[in-house]
Amino acid sequence: EVAVSWRPSTEFAGNLYKGEGILPASPRDVWECIKPVAGGLRTKWDQNVKDFEVIEAISDTLSVCRTTTPSACMRIISPREFVDVVVMKQCEDGTMLSAATNVEHPLCPPQPNFVRGFNYPCGCFCIPVPGEPDRTELLTFFQTDLGGYLPQTVVDSFFPSSISGFYSNLTKAVKALKA
């Protein structure tokens, strides 16, 4: 189960979306499925990620990445591309997180057949559940400007169901990882 809430973003003329739920897997297994790395599992289970590539690895934990998405909402939303600076961190309490925001990079100009979207500060936090090593609290924050000329009503109807689908598909992915 996932709870999705939102409020107006202070970063752009859209919303900041928050997803929160408990997943039936260890933080390490959840992280294995969501960590933003080239060749990672995310493209296999996340219906909103078609491709993920590292444009520049600045360090082991900091990189510039390009993510592409397929069309969505019965093709009302055409394919998008996002270029972000992404940081990954493991905290002392076992929390694993990734945070990102949009950036321009000379090695990644806008590509034909994609609309350039912009992620404003966003992230995923895999938080251990005390006393329950095979459960993870997952907090997600998204504030994405999809770019293009989409009516706000389309965007507002897309994100909550998309976040719910993210949690559902991730749950299936971590169960398959453990099998």
Side-chain angles (χ1 to χ4, degrees):
E1 290 189 24
V2 59
V4 179
S5 57
W6 60 90
R7 65 172 175 79
S9 172
T10 59
E11 300 286 329
F12 77 112
N15 289 318
L16 165 62
Y17 292 91
K18 176 183 175 184
E20 50 189 324
I22 302 290
L23 294 164
S26 70
R28 184 136 325 269
D29 285 348
V30 173
W31 180 249
E32 189 61 32
C33 289
I34 67 168
K35 67 182 174 183
V37 295
L41 297 175
R42 185 114 178 232
T43 58
K44 293 173 177 48
W45 64 265
D46 188 341
Q47 64 192 17
N48 291 317
V49 176
K50 185 173 183 180
D51 193 28
F52 181 88
E53 62 183 306
V54 175
I55 302 300
E56 180 183 358
I58 299 164
S59 73
D60 289 348
T61 59
L62 186 66
S63 57
V64 176
C65 303
R66 177 178 181 257
T67 306
T68 60
T69 67
S71 60
C73 285
M74 298 178 291
R75 299 190 180 183
I76 293 171
I77 300 174
S78 57
R80 287 337 199 224
E81 67 173 349
F82 301 89
V83 178
D84 299 299
V85 61
V86 180
V87 65
M88 297 180 286
K89 180 175 177 155
Q90 180 162 357
C91 303
E92 289 180 18
D93 70 353
T95 296
M96 288 170 267
L97 68 92
S98 67
T101 193
N102 72 80
V103 67
E104 290 185 23
H105 195 283
L107 296 178
C108 197
Q111 300 296 306
N113 303 317
F114 290 95
V115 174
R116 178 65 58 99
F118 301 94
N119 286 317
Y120 289 88
C122 57
C124 295
F125 297 76
C126 298
I127 304 166
V129 175
E132 298 188 61
D134 288 328
R135 290 170 56 88
T136 301
E137 178 183 3
L138 181 65
L139 283 179
T140 56
F141 297 92
F142 301 97
Q143 46 183 348
T144 302
D145 177 353
L146 291 175
Y149 300 101
L150 291 171
Q152 192 62 39
T153 54
V154 171
V155 175
D156 292 343
S157 66
F158 170 73
F159 269 102
S161 62
S162 174
I163 293 168
S164 181
F166 172 89
Y167 277 77
S168 175
N169 291 333
L170 177 55
T171 298
K172 291 172 191 168
V174 295
K175 286 180 178 178
L177 187 67
K178 293 191 326 184

